């Protein structure tokens, strides 16, 4: 979870005015060749994703090249801590501030989340390395292996509205990125890689395949309203993978 430090001004980029389903093809990353990094098989359609180049990520800030993990067996859902009422045209500017905070404030190599979803349902590439590859993120300490982190831009605390577009976009990422055979409504066993979560290093933990950050850590992330909608995200991801109603 990240809390904003900047008061945002006017929109800088017109691309964020586009609806999530109407992002032009030239703003999206091309398909990754089979020879470019670890091969990944998918069982659901790839959603439209706005690339780092399109939201003008500052690649000069990135400290290390991306590293990779195994096939994605779990999805951790986060919120970023921003106020919910932002204008979606401001999102690229917000992402650049988020990138700077994660790298210069948190000391990470790059933005921590693999993907960020705004309240209008637009999906943005987070950490670099190729959206079609299993990029090792910095979203859920102890459980970044074989997982992907998807953050909803906002807070979505108890009693706050969660747009349907957010639910659908998170589900699209989950359905696409989860390895073949993973059931979005199922459970998964992961082993903690450090002592910075609810679980000691080497301790096994069982999570929902689509889980909240708070399931592994002492945090209110994602906000209660979004956390309460995880069953809907699981159901939609299941539908997208043709696994049932």
């Amino acid at each position: 979870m990240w809390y904003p430090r900047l008061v945002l001004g006017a929109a800088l980029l017109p691309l964020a005015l586009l609806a999530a389903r109407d992002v032009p093809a030239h703003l999206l990353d091309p398909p990754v060749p089979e020879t470019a990094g670890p091969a990944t098989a998918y069982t659901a359609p790839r959603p439209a994703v706005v690339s780092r180049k399109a939201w003008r990520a500052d690649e000069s800030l990135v400290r290390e090249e991306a590293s990779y993990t195994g096939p994605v067996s779990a999805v951790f859902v986060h919120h970023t801590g921003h106020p919910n009422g932002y204008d979606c045209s401001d999102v690229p500017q917000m992402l650049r501030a988020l990138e700077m905070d994660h790298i210069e404030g948190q000391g990470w190599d790059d933005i921590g989340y693999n993907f960020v979803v705004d309240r209008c349902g637009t999906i943005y590439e987070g950490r670099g390395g190729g959206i079609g590859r299993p990029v090792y993120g910095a979203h859920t300490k102890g459980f970044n292996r074989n997982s992907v982190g998807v953050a909803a831009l906002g807070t979505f605390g108890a009693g706050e509205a969660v747009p349907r577009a957010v639910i659908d976009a998170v589900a699209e990422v989950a359905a696409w990125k989860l390895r073949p055979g993973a059931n979005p409504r199922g459970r998964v066993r992961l082993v903690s890689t450090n002592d910075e979560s609810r679980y000691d290093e080497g301790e096994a933990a069982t999570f929902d395949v689509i889980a909240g950050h708070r399931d592994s850590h002492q945090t209110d992330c994602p906000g209660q309203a979004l956390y309460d909608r995880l069953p809907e995200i699981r159901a939609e991801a299941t539908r997208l993978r043709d696994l049932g109603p």
Side-chain angles (χ1 to χ4, degrees):
M1 181 176 62
W2 174 85
Y3 292 96
R5 298 179 178 178
L6 300 178
V7 177
L8 300 172
L12 295 182
L13 294 178
L15 72 92
L17 293 171
L18 300 167
R21 305 301 185 272
D22 297 324
V23 179
H26 71 275
L27 293 181
L28 307 177
D29 284 343
V32 178
E34 289 296 324
T35 57
T40 303
Y42 297 108
T43 60
R46 167 181 159 169
V49 179
V50 177
S51 70
R52 289 168 64 91
K53 181 178 180 180
W55 61 261
R56 291 169 51 193
D58 187 346
E59 303 297 356
S60 70
L61 292 176
V62 178
R63 295 178 174 176
E64 298 287 344
E65 292 185 1
S67 58
Y68 300 91
T69 182
V72 174
S73 296
V75 176
F76 286 100
V77 179
H78 301 253
H79 71 246
T80 64
H82 292 83
N84 295 334
Y86 56 85
D87 191 317
C88 289
S89 65
D90 282 331
V91 171
Q93 182 181 352
M94 297 166 73
L95 291 177
R96 291 192 294 274
L98 182 66
E99 178 193 22
M100 182 176 293
D101 182 81
H102 279 194
I103 296 172
E104 297 189 350
Q106 304 293 336
W108 299 339
D109 293 336
D110 194 355
I111 192 169
Y113 311 120
N114 298 103
F115 298 90
V116 179
V117 172
D118 73 16
R119 68 185 187 90
C120 295
T122 303
I123 303 167
Y124 292 84
E125 178 183 14
R127 175 164 288 228
I131 64 170
R133 291 177 261 175
V135 177
Y136 191 102
H139 48 85
T140 308
K141 290 181 179 180
F143 299 101
N144 289 312
R145 286 182 182 168
N146 301 89
S147 70
V148 65
V150 185
L153 200 62
T155 303
F156 306 111
E160 297 177 334
V162 180
R164 181 69 207 186
V166 170
I167 303 302
D168 290 343
V170 174
E172 287 176 6
V173 174
W176 175 52
K177 291 296 290 185
L178 281 169
R179 64 172 177 79
N183 183 350
R185 284 175 162 154
R187 302 274 283 171
V188 63
R189 181 178 179 273
L190 302 175
V191 177
S192 178
T193 60
N194 59 44
D195 297 326
E196 299 181 63
S197 71
R198 295 177 186 266
Y199 302 91
D200 294 333
E201 181 177 359
E203 184 178 356
T206 301
F207 300 105
D208 290 310
V209 167
I210 300 177
H213 185 198
R214 60 170 65 188
D215 293 326
S216 62
H217 290 71
Q218 295 286 352
T219 177
D220 62 356
C221 176
Q224 189 63 50
L226 179 55
Y227 188 78
D228 289 343
R229 303 291 292 275
L230 290 183
E232 294 176 55
I233 293 173
R234 296 177 190 123
E236 178 61 12
T238 299
R239 186 191 69 80
L240 290 169
R241 286 167 71 90
D242 294 325
L243 295 176

